[in-house]
Structure formats: C-alpha cells, structure tokens
Amino acid sequence: TSPVDPCQGRVCVIAPADAPPGMTHGKMSRSRTRRRRCLETVARETDFLDQVRRAWTAGAEMAEAEDARNGNCSWEASDEMDAATTFPNSCTEDASPSASFMFGSVPSFGGGVAAPAAPSVPREILESVKACSCGRPPVVAGLRLQEFWDHLERFGKKENAGAILQRMLNFRSKYKWPLTITLADIGSTLMNGPFQYLPPTASDSRPFLVVTPRQMDMAKCPLEQHQKLLMLILEAAFRASAMYADGGAGLLAVVDLRGTSSSVARNMLASFSDLARSVAMCKGSLPTSISHLHIIEGDNPSSVHKAIVSLLLSNLNAKVQARVSFGNHQAVLEAVGAGMMPKSLGGRRDGDAEWRQWLQGWQAEEVALGLALTPSADRARLV
C-alpha cells in the first residue's frame, strides 16, 4: 500500500511498474476477467454454430432422400423440369407429401412445356388446387384461382405457370399450410410484432416490408406463426403486383438487425423443422418479386446473427442476391428515401396507421372471398 499522501486520506494499491497509467491491480484483474468471458462466449458460439451446421447438413441430406423416395419436386432442381409434372392431391393431416395428381391425356405443365393458350385454368390444376384447399374456397394467395393463374401466365418468365404452382402446392402440402394465409391463422400477439407491411402508394408502386427481429417473442408465439405472418405479407405483395399491367416494381424490404439479442438468433436455429421451413420459404414457395432488400446492420453483430443471414441469403437465387445490400441506418435511409420509410425508421410515413388500415381491409376481403365469416369480436381485436 502507498502512504496516505498523495491519496488524500485513502489507501491505494500500487500497480506493477509496467502497467498502463491509472491501471491498478483491481482494474487489471477485471480486464482479464472480461477478456476471459469474451473468449468463453466466442468458444460457445463457435461450438453452437458447428452443431447447427452439422445438424443442418444431416437434416438436408435426410430431406433430400425423403423427397427422392416420395417423388417430390426438389428445391434444388433447375428451371428445366421433367415433362411429367405432379401435383399434391391432399393436404389433410394424414396426407403424405408424396401424394400427387398425375396428368392424364392432356399435356403436362412442367417448366419445359408451353402452357395452352386457353384462358381458363386447366381441369387438372383446378382439381389439384381444390384437393389442397382443405375445405376452403379455391383461393390461392388471396386471389381466386382464375386470377392467380392469369397472373402467373402473364408474368411467368423462365418457368411455366404450372411449375411455379406445383412448387407452391408442394410447400403448402408439406407443411400443412392453407393456400391463403388468413388472420385466423395468425395469433393476435403478432399484429404489433416484428413485421409491418405498407401497401403501394400513388407515387410508388412498390409495396414495403419492415422486419424487426428484436421484437420477436418466441415465448409467446412459436417461429412458425411468425413465418405465417411473413407469408401473409408476401401474398399481399403478390396481389399488389397483379394490380399493375407491368407487374409492378416488386417488394421493397428493410430488415433492421439493430438490438437483436443472441437469444432471438439462437431460438431461430433451435429447431431444425423451423429452420428448414425458413429455407424452403426462400426457395420459390411464392413467386413474389423482390425489388431490393436492405439490411440495417447492428453495431456489433454476433457470429450467430451472421450465420442466420448467410444461411438464408445463400438460398436465394443469384438475381435476388444481387439486390441485397448492407449498411448502417443512415445509409439505408438515404438509399430508400424518407418519403418511403416509416417514422419508426426515421422516415415520414405513418407505418402503424397504414399497417392497421391494410389489416382492416384484408379482414373485409377475407369475408368477401369466403375465407372467413362475418368478423367476430375476437377477430376484430386482431386489427
């Protein structure tokens, strides 16, 4: 210990001679403790990611083997598909994903075969969609089947409409999701959650999506419910594109990763089935056009966050990956424009009001399509 002076009556601890100025034994000990804890955290995250990577590889191999046995369309298939196109014929609880409706004497509608010029929906496709409707009206992504089919045929470029629809039916059948996600399929706690959809405006034909992962609460709602809400929004963007003669400009999305805790990221990776569903959603589960995806990075993104983003982006095609950009909040705000961004991200749009107004409009549309009865008090509370 030092003399009473010059510590003004306090007892001081003299640091080693080679210590930085102002550094005492206590401070050095705390610094070493922080470094040790940091290294331990990195080691745990690295081990966790290695486990996820091994589980994902093993699970993907098992899924591909199962799809091969069942005759399902592979998500890794090229745009050129076999002439014999199959469609699932049921989505009941006891239905197998291998169930399919083989085309008979009429031409198939695979990716390599041109669709007929007839304006009506082919009978085989109509029957397949009805079989997958699970008692609901044959409404696909919020559009009556004829409207959905017309939109696919008008704007299908590399693939035939039948191949696109097949991939969508395979996804819905495999995960037992309805052909149109309704508000009844979404928990009310999600309405003010991590997703916010803003419809196109008079001055901009792009629908707008805001994703805020830090608001995800897995304790209240499982990840699948969040995925269904995202699909509901993607369906809305698809319908918005059908309103324009040229198909519109595509969905503009902003993902705000700031403040996202490691626990949220770990919960997203905890279940292989949830992770596989997330990846499948990125692989053509709905033909929604993406105009650009902006990712607002956090100050110190963890390796878990980077792993999730890398995993999901790796399953997008090269064309969409070229439309992904990373940056801080100010850079994204300047790129998108304050007139397009909601107030929650520094813009001028009243995102909460627009989101709630859209939900109310969609609730009424569900009734008109026969997907829901007259809104009850419980459904009214959703919006």
Side-chain angles (χ1 to χ4, degrees), residues 184-199:
D185 301 315
I186 308 297
S188 59
T189 54
L190 293 179
M191 292 303 105
N192 295 314
F195 301 102
Q196 191 174 72
Y197 174 74
L198 309 182

Side-chain angles (χ1 to χ4, degrees), residues 242-297:
M243 297 169 55
Y244 297 91
D246 60 352
L251 177 68
L252 177 62
V254 173
V255 180
D256 185 2
L257 294 180
R258 295 175 301 170
T260 304
S261 66
S262 296
S263 61
V264 171
R266 287 176 177 273
N267 285 333
M268 294 179 68
L269 294 172
S271 168
F272 171 74
S273 59
D274 287 338
L275 185 60
R277 197 184 305 108
S278 297
V279 173
M281 288 180 67
C282 296
K283 290 191 169 186
S285 59
L286 186 70
T288 301
S289 175
I290 306 294
S291 66
H292 205 93
L293 172 60
H294 294 276
I295 298 179
I296 302 177
E297 296 179 294

Side-chain angles (χ1 to χ4, degrees), residues 323-345:
R323 300 172 183 173
V324 178
S325 60
F326 295 81
N328 58 29
H329 171 252
Q330 186 60 35
V332 173
L333 180 61
E334 293 175 359
V336 176
M340 191 68 177
M341 293 275 266
K343 294 179 180 178
S344 61
L345 291 177

